[in-house]
Amino acid sequence: MTAANMIVPLIITFILLFGLFRRTDVAGEFTTGASEGLKTAAELIPILVLVMTAVGMFGASGASAHLAEWISPLAERLGFPPECIELALIRPVSGSGAIASLDELYSRISPDSFAGKTAAVLMSSTETTFYTIAVYSAAMRKKLGSRVFIAAAAADLTGFILSPLMVRLFIR
Amino acid sequence: MLGIILAVMLVLSAVAGFLGGGWEEISDAALGQCVKAVELGIYLAGSMALWCGLMRVAERSGLTRIVSRAMSPLIRLIFGRLDASSEKAVSLNLTANLLGLGNAATPTGIEAVRRLEKSSHPRRNTALITVINTASIQLIPVTVAAMRSAHGSAAPLEILPAVLVTSLCSAAVGVITASILFSEEK
């Protein structure tokens, strides 16, 4: 993972050096931008409190495990490994919850098994959709309503359906 | 809509509480997660301050103009014509996503939302940038590869082509769906 770890430090260095090279007031411009960033972050906290409280209660209640049990027969018929259902349910709402769920899955099954690979593809090719929409909506003046959730859900569902198919196609 | 989804999640948790009796865990989660949310906000504030500062330097030094010129064919394909400042903000956000910068993508995305709200199709364009950011297009899935290798995978990065194709397809479906749903804004 060394190559991946190089990206962030090199980007930071490059941006600052490029600024110096072009004779930009690097420190002054940085602090102006940074204080705007701080203000934006502070405005996001209230919605984060609401969303994360509800998501946390949902995760702790074990509701996702119950739901996974109900969905499992249908998923199996579609060729979706039942081990990955709970991960698919948690993934759109909680990033840290999904990491915990994947870690727990890998302690039971091998990461190189079919379900293990499907879980990895599913995890990497989708985002914490719900959180992303909440954060971006908080920054908007005009609200988008339900349509943006529908579009994002269509994208997520595509990711869930394609994950096992692509594992079969590319890795087997 | 956000409110409805939250309500559904809370009702499901309560049902699971009645079925499984895990009230203590649910109550701990409610009281603990609100604190975690503020912690996340502070964590986010640090990275937002850093990246917004860097983006400002990149903007003033002309670096963003170079990046946005390279990305502009892709952006025109998705958004159609945009003004220069929106195009710049969108191209930085797409670049941050491709590089897998995670939290660094959030400030660039919010900046893009603010610019796109002033564009000619504000609702469609802000929906598009939101959907693209929920699709997680990244060249190297760092976190998952690290977890696979920690659990003894023989080839942690062998998922790479499958991840790339899957995320490109799901992003395309999201973009097309959003374009259709918001198409009345001509």
Side-chain angles (χ1 to χ4, degrees), chain A residues 132 136 140 144 148, chain B residues 75 78-79 86 89-94 97 108-114 116-117 122-135 175 178:
Chain A
T132 309
Y136 281 39
M140 289 175 201
L144 293 172
V148 69
Chain B
I75 293 170
I78 301 172
F79 291 89
S86 308
V90 172
S91 69
L92 286 178
N93 176 244
L94 293 187
N97 272 311
T108 60
I110 288 172
E111 180 64 22
V113 163
R114 298 232 162 109
L116 288 171
E117 280 209 305
R123 281 169 183 271
R124 189 200 66 184
N125 287 345
T126 49
L128 283 174
I129 196 76
T130 308
V131 168
I132 291 169
N133 276 279
T134 64
V175 164

PDB file of all heavy atoms in Angstrom, chain A residues 132 136 140 144 148, chain B residues 75 78-79 86 89-94 97 108-114 116-117 122-135 175 178:
ATOM      1  N   THR A 132     -23.665  10.934   2.568  1.00  0.00           N
ATOM      2  CA  THR A 132     -23.247  11.870   1.525  1.00  0.00           C
ATOM      3  C   THR A 132     -24.401  12.785   1.121  1.00  0.00           C
ATOM      4  O   THR A 132     -24.235  14.008   1.011  1.00  0.00           O
ATOM      5  CB  THR A 132     -22.743  11.105   0.282  1.00  0.00           C
ATOM      6  OG1 THR A 132     -21.772  10.149   0.694  1.00  0.00           O
ATOM      7  CG2 THR A 132     -22.126  12.043  -0.726  1.00  0.00           C
ATOM      8  N   TYR A 136     -24.433  16.861   1.594  1.00  0.00           N
ATOM      9  CA  TYR A 136     -24.552  17.733   0.426  1.00  0.00           C
ATOM     10  C   TYR A 136     -25.853  18.531   0.464  1.00  0.00           C
ATOM     11  O   TYR A 136     -25.872  19.692   0.085  1.00  0.00           O
ATOM     12  CB  TYR A 136     -24.447  16.910  -0.875  1.00  0.00           C
ATOM     13  CG  TYR A 136     -23.015  16.570  -1.214  1.00  0.00           C
ATOM     14  CD1 TYR A 136     -22.111  16.224  -0.229  1.00  0.00           C
ATOM     15  CD2 TYR A 136     -22.554  16.620  -2.520  1.00  0.00           C
ATOM     16  CE1 TYR A 136     -20.805  15.924  -0.520  1.00  0.00           C
ATOM     17  CE2 TYR A 136     -21.230  16.317  -2.831  1.00  0.00           C
ATOM     18  CZ  TYR A 136     -20.371  15.968  -1.823  1.00  0.00           C
ATOM     19  OH  TYR A 136     -19.065  15.685  -2.126  1.00  0.00           O
ATOM     20  N   MET A 140     -27.092  22.877   0.448  1.00  0.00           N
ATOM     21  CA  MET A 140     -27.915  23.444  -0.626  1.00  0.00           C
ATOM     22  C   MET A 140     -28.978  24.387  -0.087  1.00  0.00           C
ATOM     23  O   MET A 140     -29.524  24.167   0.974  1.00  0.00           O
ATOM     24  CB  MET A 140     -28.643  22.322  -1.379  1.00  0.00           C
ATOM     25  CG  MET A 140     -27.737  21.478  -2.232  1.00  0.00           C
ATOM     26  SD  MET A 140     -28.672  20.117  -2.938  1.00  0.00           S
ATOM     27  CE  MET A 140     -27.338  19.004  -3.324  1.00  0.00           C
ATOM     28  N   LEU A 144     -33.695  19.097  -2.834  1.00  0.00           N
ATOM     29  CA  LEU A 144     -33.943  18.275  -4.018  1.00  0.00           C
ATOM     30  C   LEU A 144     -35.065  17.268  -3.808  1.00  0.00           C
ATOM     31  O   LEU A 144     -35.571  16.692  -4.751  1.00  0.00           O
ATOM     32  CB  LEU A 144     -32.660  17.526  -4.407  1.00  0.00           C
ATOM     33  CG  LEU A 144     -31.526  18.425  -4.899  1.00  0.00           C
ATOM     34  CD1 LEU A 144     -30.255  17.616  -5.055  1.00  0.00           C
ATOM     35  CD2 LEU A 144     -31.894  19.089  -6.204  1.00  0.00           C
ATOM     36  N   VAL A 148     -33.472  12.753  -5.629  1.00  0.00           N
ATOM     37  CA  VAL A 148     -32.037  12.475  -5.534  1.00  0.00           C
ATOM     38  C   VAL A 148     -31.791  11.153  -4.800  1.00  0.00           C
ATOM     39  O   VAL A 148     -30.865  10.409  -5.112  1.00  0.00           O
ATOM     40  CB  VAL A 148     -31.282  13.665  -4.893  1.00  0.00           C
ATOM     41  CG1 VAL A 148     -31.625  13.803  -3.427  1.00  0.00           C
ATOM     42  CG2 VAL A 148     -29.784  13.502  -5.079  1.00  0.00           C
TER      43      VAL A 148
ATOM     44  N   ILE B  75     -16.651  16.362 -18.056  1.00  0.00           N
ATOM     45  CA  ILE B  75     -17.654  17.183 -17.379  1.00  0.00           C
ATOM     46  C   ILE B  75     -18.735  17.639 -18.355  1.00  0.00           C
ATOM     47  O   ILE B  75     -19.922  17.639 -18.035  1.00  0.00           O
ATOM     48  CB  ILE B  75     -16.972  18.375 -16.693  1.00  0.00           C
ATOM     49  CG1 ILE B  75     -16.105  17.857 -15.548  1.00  0.00           C
ATOM     50  CG2 ILE B  75     -17.996  19.370 -16.157  1.00  0.00           C
ATOM     51  CD1 ILE B  75     -15.197  18.879 -14.956  1.00  0.00           C
ATOM     52  N   ILE B  78     -21.292  14.930 -18.931  1.00  0.00           N
ATOM     53  CA  ILE B  78     -22.257  14.692 -17.854  1.00  0.00           C
ATOM     54  C   ILE B  78     -23.169  15.898 -17.634  1.00  0.00           C
ATOM     55  O   ILE B  78     -24.385  15.769 -17.539  1.00  0.00           O
ATOM     56  CB  ILE B  78     -21.531  14.345 -16.536  1.00  0.00           C
ATOM     57  CG1 ILE B  78     -20.680  13.089 -16.737  1.00  0.00           C
ATOM     58  CG2 ILE B  78     -22.535  14.126 -15.415  1.00  0.00           C
ATOM     59  CD1 ILE B  78     -19.774  12.774 -15.567  1.00  0.00           C
ATOM     60  N   PHE B  79     -22.568  17.098 -17.545  1.00  0.00           N
ATOM     61  CA  PHE B  79     -23.329  18.279 -17.134  1.00  0.00           C
ATOM     62  C   PHE B  79     -23.759  19.173 -18.298  1.00  0.00           C
ATOM     63  O   PHE B  79     -24.549  20.079 -18.104  1.00  0.00           O
ATOM     64  CB  PHE B  79     -22.495  19.130 -16.170  1.00  0.00           C
ATOM     65  CG  PHE B  79     -22.262  18.492 -14.831  1.00  0.00           C
ATOM     66  CD1 PHE B  79     -21.173  17.675 -14.614  1.00  0.00           C
ATOM     67  CD2 PHE B  79     -23.136  18.723 -13.779  1.00  0.00           C
ATOM     68  CE1 PHE B  79     -20.950  17.084 -13.383  1.00  0.00           C
ATOM     69  CE2 PHE B  79     -22.926  18.136 -12.543  1.00  0.00           C
ATOM     70  CZ  PHE B  79     -21.839  17.312 -12.347  1.00  0.00           C
ATOM     71  N   SER B  86     -17.860  26.923 -12.063  1.00  0.00           N
ATOM     72  CA  SER B  86     -18.486  25.643 -11.715  1.00  0.00           C
ATOM     73  C   SER B  86     -17.652  24.494 -12.255  1.00  0.00           C
ATOM     74  O   SER B  86     -17.449  23.488 -11.582  1.00  0.00           O
ATOM     75  CB  SER B  86     -19.884  25.510 -12.321  1.00  0.00           C
ATOM     76  OG  SER B  86     -20.669  26.607 -12.005  1.00  0.00           O
ATOM     77  N   ALA B  89     -14.717  23.806 -10.047  1.00  0.00           N
ATOM     78  CA  ALA B  89     -15.071  23.150  -8.784  1.00  0.00           C
ATOM     79  C   ALA B  89     -15.426  21.681  -9.012  1.00  0.00           C
ATOM     80  O   ALA B  89     -14.998  20.805  -8.251  1.00  0.00           O
ATOM     81  CB  ALA B  89     -16.248  23.882  -8.136  1.00  0.00           C
ATOM     82  N   VAL B  90     -16.185  21.392 -10.079  1.00  0.00           N
ATOM     83  CA  VAL B  90     -16.571  20.012 -10.373  1.00  0.00           C
ATOM     84  C   VAL B  90     -15.336  19.169 -10.707  1.00  0.00           C
ATOM     85  O   VAL B  90     -15.194  18.037 -10.243  1.00  0.00           O
ATOM     86  CB  VAL B  90     -17.596  19.956 -11.528  1.00  0.00           C
ATOM     87  CG1 VAL B  90     -17.842  18.519 -11.967  1.00  0.00           C
ATOM     88  CG2 VAL B  90     -18.905  20.597 -11.115  1.00  0.00           C
ATOM     89  N   SER B  91     -14.410  19.739 -11.497  1.00  0.00           N
ATOM     90  CA  SER B  91     -13.238  18.952 -11.896  1.00  0.00           C
ATOM     91  C   SER B  91     -12.363  18.622 -10.691  1.00  0.00           C
ATOM     92  O   SER B  91     -11.824  17.519 -10.599  1.00  0.00           O
ATOM     93  CB  SER B  91     -12.436  19.687 -12.966  1.00  0.00           C
ATOM     94  OG  SER B  91     -11.831  20.821 -12.421  1.00  0.00           O
ATOM     95  N   LEU B  92     -12.256  19.551  -9.727  1.00  0.00           N
ATOM     96  CA  LEU B  92     -11.480  19.256  -8.516  1.00  0.00           C
ATOM     97  C   LEU B  92     -12.138  18.139  -7.712  1.00  0.00           C
ATOM     98  O   LEU B  92     -11.462  17.256  -7.178  1.00  0.00           O
ATOM     99  CB  LEU B  92     -11.358  20.503  -7.638  1.00  0.00           C
ATOM    100  CG  LEU B  92     -10.404  21.567  -8.156  1.00  0.00           C
ATOM    101  CD1 LEU B  92     -10.405  22.760  -7.221  1.00  0.00           C
ATOM    102  CD2 LEU B  92      -9.002  21.013  -8.293  1.00  0.00           C
ATOM    103  N   ASN B  93     -13.480  18.179  -7.639  1.00  0.00           N
ATOM    104  CA  ASN B  93     -14.187  17.151  -6.893  1.00  0.00           C
ATOM    105  C   ASN B  93     -14.006  15.771  -7.539  1.00  0.00           C
ATOM    106  O   ASN B  93     -13.736  14.786  -6.858  1.00  0.00           O
ATOM    107  CB  ASN B  93     -15.669  17.522  -6.803  1.00  0.00           C
ATOM    108  CG  ASN B  93     -16.495  16.445  -6.114  1.00  0.00           C
ATOM    109  OD1 ASN B  93     -17.367  15.838  -6.716  1.00  0.00           O
ATOM    110  ND2 ASN B  93     -16.193  16.182  -4.851  1.00  0.00           N
ATOM    111  N   LEU B  94     -14.121  15.720  -8.884  1.00  0.00           N
ATOM    112  CA  LEU B  94     -13.937  14.436  -9.576  1.00  0.00           C
ATOM    113  C   LEU B  94     -12.518  13.921  -9.384  1.00  0.00           C
ATOM    114  O   LEU B  94     -12.299  12.733  -9.157  1.00  0.00           O
ATOM    115  CB  LEU B  94     -14.246  14.579 -11.077  1.00  0.00           C
ATOM    116  CG  LEU B  94     -15.698  14.871 -11.468  1.00  0.00           C
ATOM    117  CD1 LEU B  94     -15.857  14.817 -12.976  1.00  0.00           C
ATOM    118  CD2 LEU B  94     -16.644  13.886 -10.817  1.00  0.00           C
ATOM    119  N   ASN B  97     -12.117  12.435  -5.962  1.00  0.00           N
ATOM    120  CA  ASN B  97     -12.761  11.125  -5.910  1.00  0.00           C
ATOM    121  C   ASN B  97     -11.906  10.047  -6.558  1.00  0.00           C
ATOM    122  O   ASN B  97     -11.722   8.970  -6.003  1.00  0.00           O
ATOM    123  CB  ASN B  97     -14.117  11.168  -6.618  1.00  0.00           C
ATOM    124  CG  ASN B  97     -15.229  11.579  -5.689  1.00  0.00           C
ATOM    125  OD1 ASN B  97     -15.358  11.036  -4.595  1.00  0.00           O
ATOM    126  ND2 ASN B  97     -16.002  12.555  -6.082  1.00  0.00           N
ATOM    127  N   THR B 108     -14.424  19.689  -1.540  1.00  0.00           N
ATOM    128  CA  THR B 108     -14.500  20.046  -2.961  1.00  0.00           C
ATOM    129  C   THR B 108     -15.921  19.815  -3.488  1.00  0.00           C
ATOM    130  O   THR B 108     -16.408  20.580  -4.313  1.00  0.00           O
ATOM    131  CB  THR B 108     -13.522  19.210  -3.812  1.00  0.00           C
ATOM    132  OG1 THR B 108     -13.834  17.826  -3.676  1.00  0.00           O
ATOM    133  CG2 THR B 108     -12.080  19.426  -3.384  1.00  0.00           C
ATOM    134  N   GLY B 109     -16.600  18.773  -2.977  1.00  0.00           N
ATOM    135  CA  GLY B 109     -17.973  18.511  -3.388  1.00  0.00           C
ATOM    136  C   GLY B 109     -18.913  19.616  -2.938  1.00  0.00           C
ATOM    137  O   GLY B 109     -19.789  20.047  -3.695  1.00  0.00           O
ATOM    138  N   ILE B 110     -18.735  20.086  -1.691  1.00  0.00           N
ATOM    139  CA  ILE B 110     -19.598  21.143  -1.176  1.00  0.00           C
ATOM    140  C   ILE B 110     -19.380  22.438  -1.946  1.00  0.00           C
ATOM    141  O   ILE B 110     -20.326  23.155  -2.293  1.00  0.00           O
ATOM    142  CB  ILE B 110     -19.372  21.313   0.339  1.00  0.00           C
ATOM    143  CG1 ILE B 110     -19.996  20.107   1.052  1.00  0.00           C
ATOM    144  CG2 ILE B 110     -19.975  22.606   0.845  1.00  0.00           C
ATOM    145  CD1 ILE B 110     -19.692  20.036   2.509  1.00  0.00           C
ATOM    146  N   GLU B 111     -18.113  22.711  -2.270  1.00  0.00           N
ATOM    147  CA  GLU B 111     -17.802  23.877  -3.091  1.00  0.00           C
ATOM    148  C   GLU B 111     -18.502  23.753  -4.452  1.00  0.00           C
ATOM    149  O   GLU B 111     -19.104  24.719  -4.953  1.00  0.00           O
ATOM    150  CB  GLU B 111     -16.272  23.972  -3.270  1.00  0.00           C
ATOM    151  CG  GLU B 111     -15.780  25.126  -4.107  1.00  0.00           C
ATOM    152  CD  GLU B 111     -16.082  26.482  -3.483  1.00  0.00           C
ATOM    153  OE1 GLU B 111     -16.278  26.517  -2.247  1.00  0.00           O
ATOM    154  OE2 GLU B 111     -16.150  27.465  -4.229  1.00  0.00           O
ATOM    155  N   ALA B 112     -18.451  22.543  -5.038  1.00  0.00           N
ATOM    156  CA  ALA B 112     -19.097  22.325  -6.340  1.00  0.00           C
ATOM    157  C   ALA B 112     -20.607  22.540  -6.245  1.00  0.00           C
ATOM    158  O   ALA B 112     -21.205  23.169  -7.122  1.00  0.00           O
ATOM    159  CB  ALA B 112     -18.787  20.922  -6.856  1.00  0.00           C
ATOM    160  N   VAL B 113     -21.231  22.049  -5.145  1.00  0.00           N
ATOM    161  CA  VAL B 113     -22.670  22.248  -4.953  1.00  0.00           C
ATOM    162  C   VAL B 113     -23.001  23.737  -4.923  1.00  0.00           C
ATOM    163  O   VAL B 113     -23.937  24.206  -5.580  1.00  0.00           O
ATOM    164  CB  VAL B 113     -23.135  21.572  -3.638  1.00  0.00           C
ATOM    165  CG1 VAL B 113     -24.493  22.112  -3.209  1.00  0.00           C
ATOM    166  CG2 VAL B 113     -23.207  20.066  -3.806  1.00  0.00           C
ATOM    167  N   ARG B 114     -22.210  24.507  -4.181  1.00  0.00           N
ATOM    168  CA  ARG B 114     -22.469  25.950  -4.062  1.00  0.00           C
ATOM    169  C   ARG B 114     -22.397  26.648  -5.418  1.00  0.00           C
ATOM    170  O   ARG B 114     -23.202  27.527  -5.726  1.00  0.00           O
ATOM    171  CB  ARG B 114     -21.446  26.577  -3.104  1.00  0.00           C
ATOM    172  CG  ARG B 114     -21.535  26.001  -1.695  1.00  0.00           C
ATOM    173  CD  ARG B 114     -21.654  27.110  -0.668  1.00  0.00           C
ATOM    174  NE  ARG B 114     -22.165  26.564   0.583  1.00  0.00           N
ATOM    175  CZ  ARG B 114     -21.431  26.420   1.686  1.00  0.00           C
ATOM    176  NH1 ARG B 114     -20.169  26.787   1.689  1.00  0.00           N
ATOM    177  NH2 ARG B 114     -21.975  25.935   2.781  1.00  0.00           N
ATOM    178  N   LEU B 116     -22.720  25.143  -8.431  1.00  0.00           N
ATOM    179  CA  LEU B 116     -23.722  24.612  -9.358  1.00  0.00           C
ATOM    180  C   LEU B 116     -25.113  25.154  -9.053  1.00  0.00           C
ATOM    181  O   LEU B 116     -25.973  25.203  -9.926  1.00  0.00           O
ATOM    182  CB  LEU B 116     -23.730  23.077  -9.301  1.00  0.00           C
ATOM    183  CG  LEU B 116     -22.514  22.390  -9.931  1.00  0.00           C
ATOM    184  CD1 LEU B 116     -22.521  20.906  -9.635  1.00  0.00           C
ATOM    185  CD2 LEU B 116     -22.474  22.622 -11.430  1.00  0.00           C
ATOM    186  N   GLU B 117     -25.352  25.580  -7.801  1.00  0.00           N
ATOM    187  CA  GLU B 117     -26.648  26.172  -7.457  1.00  0.00           C
ATOM    188  C   GLU B 117     -26.896  27.445  -8.251  1.00  0.00           C
ATOM    189  O   GLU B 117     -28.029  27.851  -8.440  1.00  0.00           O
ATOM    190  CB  GLU B 117     -26.711  26.486  -5.961  1.00  0.00           C
ATOM    191  CG  GLU B 117     -27.019  25.272  -5.124  1.00  0.00           C
ATOM    192  CD  GLU B 117     -27.752  25.640  -3.849  1.00  0.00           C
ATOM    193  OE1 GLU B 117     -27.208  26.485  -3.116  1.00  0.00           O
ATOM    194  OE2 GLU B 117     -28.837  25.098  -3.607  1.00  0.00           O
ATOM    195  N   PRO B 122     -29.874  24.432 -11.850  1.00  0.00           N
ATOM    196  CA  PRO B 122     -29.359  24.207 -10.491  1.00  0.00           C
ATOM    197  C   PRO B 122     -29.754  22.872  -9.876  1.00  0.00           C
ATOM    198  O   PRO B 122     -28.923  22.173  -9.321  1.00  0.00           O
ATOM    199  CB  PRO B 122     -29.942  25.381  -9.695  1.00  0.00           C
ATOM    200  CG  PRO B 122     -31.036  25.920 -10.530  1.00  0.00           C
ATOM    201  CD  PRO B 122     -30.688  25.638 -11.951  1.00  0.00           C
ATOM    202  N   ARG B 123     -31.039  22.488  -9.998  1.00  0.00           N
ATOM    203  CA  ARG B 123     -31.463  21.252  -9.337  1.00  0.00           C
ATOM    204  C   ARG B 123     -30.844  20.025  -9.980  1.00  0.00           C
ATOM    205  O   ARG B 123     -30.317  19.155  -9.303  1.00  0.00           O
ATOM    206  CB  ARG B 123     -32.991  21.123  -9.384  1.00  0.00           C
ATOM    207  CG  ARG B 123     -33.664  21.974  -8.346  1.00  0.00           C
ATOM    208  CD  ARG B 123     -35.149  22.027  -8.600  1.00  0.00           C
ATOM    209  NE  ARG B 123     -35.765  22.916  -7.641  1.00  0.00           N
ATOM    210  CZ  ARG B 123     -36.205  22.525  -6.462  1.00  0.00           C
ATOM    211  NH1 ARG B 123     -36.097  21.265  -6.104  1.00  0.00           N
ATOM    212  NH2 ARG B 123     -36.745  23.387  -5.633  1.00  0.00           N
ATOM    213  N   ARG B 124     -30.900  19.957 -11.312  1.00  0.00           N
ATOM    214  CA  ARG B 124     -30.337  18.793 -11.989  1.00  0.00           C
ATOM    215  C   ARG B 124     -28.840  18.677 -11.688  1.00  0.00           C
ATOM    216  O   ARG B 124     -28.339  17.610 -11.349  1.00  0.00           O
ATOM    217  CB  ARG B 124     -30.553  18.901 -13.499  1.00  0.00           C
ATOM    218  CG  ARG B 124     -30.188  17.620 -14.228  1.00  0.00           C
ATOM    219  CD  ARG B 124     -29.930  17.865 -15.695  1.00  0.00           C
ATOM    220  NE  ARG B 124     -28.752  18.695 -15.886  1.00  0.00           N
ATOM    221  CZ  ARG B 124     -28.340  19.139 -17.065  1.00  0.00           C
ATOM    222  NH1 ARG B 124     -29.030  18.869 -18.141  1.00  0.00           N
ATOM    223  NH2 ARG B 124     -27.259  19.879 -17.165  1.00  0.00           N
ATOM    224  N   ASN B 125     -28.126  19.801 -11.767  1.00  0.00           N
ATOM    225  CA  ASN B 125     -26.675  19.737 -11.608  1.00  0.00           C
ATOM    226  C   ASN B 125     -26.248  19.400 -10.178  1.00  0.00           C
ATOM    227  O   ASN B 125     -25.314  18.631  -9.977  1.00  0.00           O
ATOM    228  CB  ASN B 125     -26.042  21.054 -12.053  1.00  0.00           C
ATOM    229  CG  ASN B 125     -26.069  21.212 -13.562  1.00  0.00           C
ATOM    230  OD1 ASN B 125     -26.294  20.234 -14.278  1.00  0.00           O
ATOM    231  ND2 ASN B 125     -25.855  22.415 -14.039  1.00  0.00           N
ATOM    232  N   THR B 126     -26.961  19.950  -9.167  1.00  0.00           N
ATOM    233  CA  THR B 126     -26.591  19.590  -7.793  1.00  0.00           C
ATOM    234  C   THR B 126     -26.953  18.120  -7.522  1.00  0.00           C
ATOM    235  O   THR B 126     -26.231  17.435  -6.805  1.00  0.00           O
ATOM    236  CB  THR B 126     -27.277  20.494  -6.747  1.00  0.00           C
ATOM    237  OG1 THR B 126     -28.662  20.577  -7.041  1.00  0.00           O
ATOM    238  CG2 THR B 126     -26.667  21.877  -6.731  1.00  0.00           C
ATOM    239  N   ALA B 127     -28.053  17.639  -8.127  1.00  0.00           N
ATOM    240  CA  ALA B 127     -28.389  16.212  -7.979  1.00  0.00           C
ATOM    241  C   ALA B 127     -27.305  15.354  -8.610  1.00  0.00           C
ATOM    242  O   ALA B 127     -26.886  14.344  -8.034  1.00  0.00           O
ATOM    243  CB  ALA B 127     -29.748  15.922  -8.621  1.00  0.00           C
ATOM    244  N   LEU B 128     -26.816  15.751  -9.796  1.00  0.00           N
ATOM    245  CA  LEU B 128     -25.789  14.970 -10.477  1.00  0.00           C
ATOM    246  C   LEU B 128     -24.509  14.892  -9.651  1.00  0.00           C
ATOM    247  O   LEU B 128     -23.935  13.816  -9.491  1.00  0.00           O
ATOM    248  CB  LEU B 128     -25.477  15.586 -11.853  1.00  0.00           C
ATOM    249  CG  LEU B 128     -26.503  15.324 -12.959  1.00  0.00           C
ATOM    250  CD1 LEU B 128     -26.150  16.112 -14.215  1.00  0.00           C
ATOM    251  CD2 LEU B 128     -26.560  13.838 -13.285  1.00  0.00           C
ATOM    252  N   ILE B 129     -24.068  16.022  -9.096  1.00  0.00           N
ATOM    253  CA  ILE B 129     -22.806  15.984  -8.335  1.00  0.00           C
ATOM    254  C   ILE B 129     -22.992  15.145  -7.065  1.00  0.00           C
ATOM    255  O   ILE B 129     -22.082  14.417  -6.649  1.00  0.00           O
ATOM    256  CB  ILE B 129     -22.283  17.420  -8.027  1.00  0.00           C
ATOM    257  CG1 ILE B 129     -20.819  17.386  -7.615  1.00  0.00           C
ATOM    258  CG2 ILE B 129     -23.067  18.118  -6.953  1.00  0.00           C
ATOM    259  CD1 ILE B 129     -19.860  17.175  -8.748  1.00  0.00           C
ATOM    260  N   THR B 130     -24.199  15.196  -6.461  1.00  0.00           N
ATOM    261  CA  THR B 130     -24.459  14.366  -5.276  1.00  0.00           C
ATOM    262  C   THR B 130     -24.389  12.884  -5.629  1.00  0.00           C
ATOM    263  O   THR B 130     -23.715  12.099  -4.963  1.00  0.00           O
ATOM    264  CB  THR B 130     -25.846  14.688  -4.682  1.00  0.00           C
ATOM    265  OG1 THR B 130     -25.951  16.091  -4.480  1.00  0.00           O
ATOM    266  CG2 THR B 130     -26.057  13.973  -3.366  1.00  0.00           C
ATOM    267  N   VAL B 131     -25.064  12.510  -6.729  1.00  0.00           N
ATOM    268  CA  VAL B 131     -25.101  11.096  -7.122  1.00  0.00           C
ATOM    269  C   VAL B 131     -23.699  10.595  -7.475  1.00  0.00           C
ATOM    270  O   VAL B 131     -23.305   9.493  -7.092  1.00  0.00           O
ATOM    271  CB  VAL B 131     -26.083  10.897  -8.300  1.00  0.00           C
ATOM    272  CG1 VAL B 131     -25.922   9.525  -8.908  1.00  0.00           C
ATOM    273  CG2 VAL B 131     -27.507  11.089  -7.827  1.00  0.00           C
ATOM    274  N   ILE B 132     -22.929  11.413  -8.190  1.00  0.00           N
ATOM    275  CA  ILE B 132     -21.569  10.997  -8.549  1.00  0.00           C
ATOM    276  C   ILE B 132     -20.740  10.753  -7.285  1.00  0.00           C
ATOM    277  O   ILE B 132     -19.969   9.801  -7.206  1.00  0.00           O
ATOM    278  CB  ILE B 132     -20.902  12.068  -9.447  1.00  0.00           C
ATOM    279  CG1 ILE B 132     -21.572  12.088 -10.813  1.00  0.00           C
ATOM    280  CG2 ILE B 132     -19.406  11.799  -9.600  1.00  0.00           C
ATOM    281  CD1 ILE B 132     -21.192  13.260 -11.671  1.00  0.00           C
ATOM    282  N   ASN B 133     -20.948  11.594  -6.276  1.00  0.00           N
ATOM    283  CA  ASN B 133     -20.195  11.414  -5.035  1.00  0.00           C
ATOM    284  C   ASN B 133     -20.679  10.236  -4.199  1.00  0.00           C
ATOM    285  O   ASN B 133     -19.949   9.756  -3.343  1.00  0.00           O
ATOM    286  CB  ASN B 133     -20.226  12.705  -4.203  1.00  0.00           C
ATOM    287  CG  ASN B 133     -19.155  13.666  -4.641  1.00  0.00           C
ATOM    288  OD1 ASN B 133     -18.008  13.549  -4.263  1.00  0.00           O
ATOM    289  ND2 ASN B 133     -19.515  14.602  -5.499  1.00  0.00           N
ATOM    290  N   THR B 134     -21.933   9.782  -4.427  1.00  0.00           N
ATOM    291  CA  THR B 134     -22.379   8.591  -3.694  1.00  0.00           C
ATOM    292  C   THR B 134     -21.904   7.320  -4.390  1.00  0.00           C
ATOM    293  O   THR B 134     -22.030   6.233  -3.840  1.00  0.00           O
ATOM    294  CB  THR B 134     -23.916   8.501  -3.574  1.00  0.00           C
ATOM    295  OG1 THR B 134     -24.473   8.357  -4.877  1.00  0.00           O
ATOM    296  CG2 THR B 134     -24.499   9.713  -2.905  1.00  0.00           C
ATOM    297  N   ALA B 135     -21.365   7.427  -5.615  1.00  0.00           N
ATOM    298  CA  ALA B 135     -21.012   6.224  -6.363  1.00  0.00           C
ATOM    299  C   ALA B 135     -19.575   5.761  -6.118  1.00  0.00           C
ATOM    300  O   ALA B 135     -19.223   4.663  -6.513  1.00  0.00           O
ATOM    301  CB  ALA B 135     -21.223   6.439  -7.854  1.00  0.00           C
ATOM    302  N   VAL B 175     -26.268   8.683 -12.799  1.00  0.00           N
ATOM    303  CA  VAL B 175     -26.266   9.909 -13.600  1.00  0.00           C
ATOM    304  C   VAL B 175     -27.448   9.908 -14.570  1.00  0.00           C
ATOM    305  O   VAL B 175     -28.160  10.911 -14.700  1.00  0.00           O
ATOM    306  CB  VAL B 175     -24.932  10.049 -14.367  1.00  0.00           C
ATOM    307  CG1 VAL B 175     -25.038  11.063 -15.492  1.00  0.00           C
ATOM    308  CG2 VAL B 175     -23.825  10.458 -13.405  1.00  0.00           C
ATOM    309  N   ALA B 178     -30.742  10.372 -12.591  1.00  0.00           N
ATOM    310  CA  ALA B 178     -30.890  11.768 -12.143  1.00  0.00           C
ATOM    311  C   ALA B 178     -31.215  12.678 -13.330  1.00  0.00           C
ATOM    312  O   ALA B 178     -32.067  13.564 -13.222  1.00  0.00           O
ATOM    313  CB  ALA B 178     -29.628  12.233 -11.430  1.00  0.00           C
TER     314      ALA B 178
END
